[in-house]
Amino acid sequence: EAAAMGDRSGRGGPPTPEPGQDYYSVYIRNLPFSITQEILRDVFARHGEVHDVHIPKDYYTGQPRGFAYVQFDNIESGREAIRQEEGQLLDGRQMQVSWAAGNRKSGREMAAKDSRRGRPPERDSGGDYDRYDRHD
């Protein structure tokens, strides 16, 4: 059924959410780092009532991570958004649009996820850095 929704990426993607939910979330990848909630709301509101737009930011730097979630009030709006926006260009980047899988993560959950990827927390600039380079 995902292919019928416009998921032409060949990756399959998450299944269509069950009807009867309060909101239906669409996941958008490959966004420019300059993206704003206002821009995404304008793009996706063409397909129906947008309940919320969330652009996750890097826990350590505060910079956008290149993907976002848009919540629609009804399943048909989400379906239409996926069908119409998958593969479209936004600021020169080709969006990848599918149903979102799972629930929205908190900042702490994302920080834990980043640390599991081997990404260290931001360090301050200096002080004790040279103690790691000594070979005496």
Side-chain angles (χ1 to χ4, degrees):
E1 186 174 40
M5 301 284 183
D7 183 2
R8 298 180 296 266
S9 60
R11 293 185 310 275
T16 303
E18 292 295 318
Q21 297 181 26
D22 290 336
Y23 306 107
Y24 300 89
S25 292
V26 172
Y27 174 60
I28 306 105
R29 293 179 37 182
N30 200 33
L31 292 170
F33 294 110
S34 60
I35 197 68
T36 65
Q37 288 183 329
E38 294 77 21
I39 291 170
L40 282 176
R41 187 174 293 277
D42 287 347
V43 168
F44 284 87
R46 293 180 264 194
H47 308 294
E49 186 69 30
V50 171
H51 176 74
D52 186 39
V53 175
H54 176 62
I55 303 172
K57 300 203 188 287
D58 182 277
Y59 183 79
Y60 300 106
T61 67
Q63 297 300 310
R65 297 184 61 198
F67 63 93
Y69 299 91
V70 173
Q71 279 187 336
F72 289 97
D73 288 339
N74 67 67
I75 196 168
E76 290 304 321
S77 297
R79 222 179 242 143
E80 185 66 15
I82 293 168
R83 192 173 72 72
Q84 294 290 325
E85 299 300 336
E86 167 65 25
Q88 294 299 310
L89 292 178
L90 185 61
D91 285 346
R93 298 185 64 114
Q94 189 174 24
M95 292 187 290
Q96 297 171 1
V97 185
S98 65
W99 289 114
N103 295 322
R104 184 167 159 176
K105 304 280 189 285
S106 70
R108 288 188 190 277
E109 289 171 313
M110 292 308 294
K113 187 175 181 178
D114 281 348
S115 68
R116 287 193 302 270
R117 287 188 191 142
R119 181 176 185 172
E122 293 282 314
R123 291 191 229 168
D124 61 2
S125 62
D128 295 340
Y129 184 77
D130 64 343
R131 79 174 186 216
Y132 298 108
D133 291 335
R134 292 190 180 150
H135 300 286
D136 25 357

